[in-house]
Amino acid sequence: MTLAASPLQGRHRWVTNLSTVAVFTGLLLATAYAYVTIRFPEGTRLAFGGVMVVVVVVFNLIGDTIEQRRLATLRALGEGDLPATPANLLVAAQEVMHQPEVAFWLSLTFLALGPLVLGGLWSLLSPVPPGVVLQVSFVGFIIAPLTAVLALLASVPRSRQVLRELVAAGLPATAIYAGLPVSFVLRRRLMVFAAVAVFTPVLLVADLALTRLRALLGQLVTAPDAAAMHALAQAQRSDGLWPLVGLVILVVLAVSASAWLSGSMLGDPLRELAAETERLARGEHGQPRFIPAEHETFAAAGAIAGMEAQLVELLGR
């Protein structure tokens, strides 16, 4: 028997949408970087574009299938196939809590593996030098960490919103704090985020500089005289200037978005925790409130909720 649809309908898709946007942002950045740095052999661009479209579509379908399988309970609750009991709501909360991690690992794997597959298939269809194939593969290894971090951080706000909706649907705050595992890895996560935000632009700039320098040296070797060398150097300065500016803007936007989202991930629950402790200090006791968070802040929110529940019980006695 199918139950009536609930306010959770469609949330299994909604919670993953921004991670998909983050992945396509990484693809855009990788494509722009490849356009600026890689010298495509004549007559191979069409094959490259066709293979890239196929790889992106296939990998996106695989990733979407994996994400939706991991949100099966949330989907069943939204479509009315499961009753909104505390047990079912807690399973859905566990799925939603892990969704940003799933988005991170899928993005990291596919962005690192995708260019390898792309380069291999491209070399089968067109006469592409091995060095160019390696350049295509290397782009994925540079872009994958930043894209994965962006996918994780973009998923967190919607994951928290769905957790609030599960609590509103009948899942007690104390049950969600007790039923969800806590991992104390916030410091390590922040260090990883900072490292990715710093080293990704450094690697991009270094690889871009080496690529352009190699191309210039190759042209200078074949130059007939000093005047021709000077002309080549001048042309190198202006060649590809606007694509390079666009690439830099994309990198700055991606890194800035990651920094802003990581600050919000930590700052938003801390503000709510401060407001909650002030409420308890004023003596306004009641049912524990749910504050969505992750890692150490989630443990702190659970401790405050447990303390309030014990206070209410003692006052009732």
Side-chain angles (χ1 to χ4, degrees):
M1 179 179 178
T2 300
L3 305 176
S6 75
L8 298 171
Q9 187 174 23
R11 283 326 206 196
H12 63 287
R13 289 285 180 189
W14 183 78
V15 77
T16 62
N17 285 345
L18 287 183
S19 64
T20 304
V21 172
V23 170
F24 277 98
T25 301
L27 289 173
L28 177 63
L29 182 59
T31 303
Y33 185 74
Y35 176 79
V36 172
T37 59
I38 298 176
R39 301 293 180 181
F40 290 88
E42 290 294 332
T44 62
R45 287 182 180 270
L46 183 60
F48 178 84
V51 173
M52 185 176 69
V53 170
V54 172
V55 171
V56 168
V57 170
V58 171
F59 275 43
N60 184 61
L61 290 175
I62 294 174
D64 182 69
T65 301
I66 294 173
E67 283 185 324
Q68 296 309 315
R69 284 184 177 178
R70 289 179 172 272
L71 295 170
T73 305
L74 178 64
R75 178 178 182 177
L77 287 170
E79 294 178 351
D81 296 333
L82 283 178
T85 62
N88 290 333
L89 291 172
L90 182 59
V91 174
Q94 292 171 344
E95 295 173 350
V96 173
M97 195 77 169
H98 291 131
Q99 195 279 325
E101 301 284 340
V102 174
F104 174 85
W105 288 111
L106 286 177
S107 302
L108 184 65
T109 302
F110 288 170
L111 263 297
L113 184 62
L116 288 173
V117 177
L118 170 59
L121 295 177
W122 185 35
S123 64
L124 292 177
L125 297 176
S126 303
V128 184
V132 177
V133 175
L134 288 176
Q135 281 185 292
V136 172
S137 303
F138 185 64
V139 171
F141 284 101
I142 296 178
I143 302 299
L146 179 60
T147 304
V149 168
L150 191 59
L152 184 149
L153 295 173
S155 301
V156 167
R158 291 197 171 186
S159 174
R160 290 175 176 178
Q161 177 59 31
V162 175
L163 289 174
R164 291 183 189 274
E165 293 173 358
L166 290 170
V167 171
L171 179 60
T174 51
I176 196 171
Y177 284 126
L180 295 181
V182 180
S183 55
F184 297 93
V185 295
L186 184 58
R187 179 184 298 177
R188 186 162 65 245
R189 292 293 173 84
L190 292 177
M191 290 177 62
V192 171
F193 295 164
V196 169
V198 171
F199 287 113
T200 297
V202 170
L203 287 175
L204 286 172
V205 172
D207 182 64
L208 179 59
L210 289 174
T211 301
R212 292 174 69 88
L213 180 60
R214 253 193 326 263
L216 177 59
L217 290 176
Q219 293 173 342
L220 291 177
V221 169
T222 59
D225 51 35
M229 291 183 179
H230 181 72
L232 287 172
Q234 293 296 328
Q236 179 75 3
R237 292 180 182 178
S238 58
D239 182 34
L241 178 61
W242 290 112
L244 180 60
V245 171
L247 175 63
V248 171
I249 291 175
L250 283 175
V251 173
V252 170
L253 289 176
V255 172
S256 300
S258 298
W260 182 79
L261 288 170
S262 62
S264 299
M265 185 185 73
L266 184 59
D268 291 346
L270 288 178
R271 282 196 297 269
E272 293 191 52
L273 285 172
E276 190 72 0
T277 53
E278 290 177 2
R279 180 181 66 83
L280 293 176
R282 292 194 300 267
E284 299 175 6
H285 305 143
Q287 290 297 322
R289 300 180 183 180
F290 175 66
I291 300 175
E294 295 79 29
H295 312 306
E296 283 85 346
T297 49
F298 183 81
I304 292 177
M307 180 184 66
E308 184 174 8
Q310 292 179 0
L311 284 174
V312 171
E313 182 181 357
L314 290 174
L315 290 173
R317 291 179 181 177

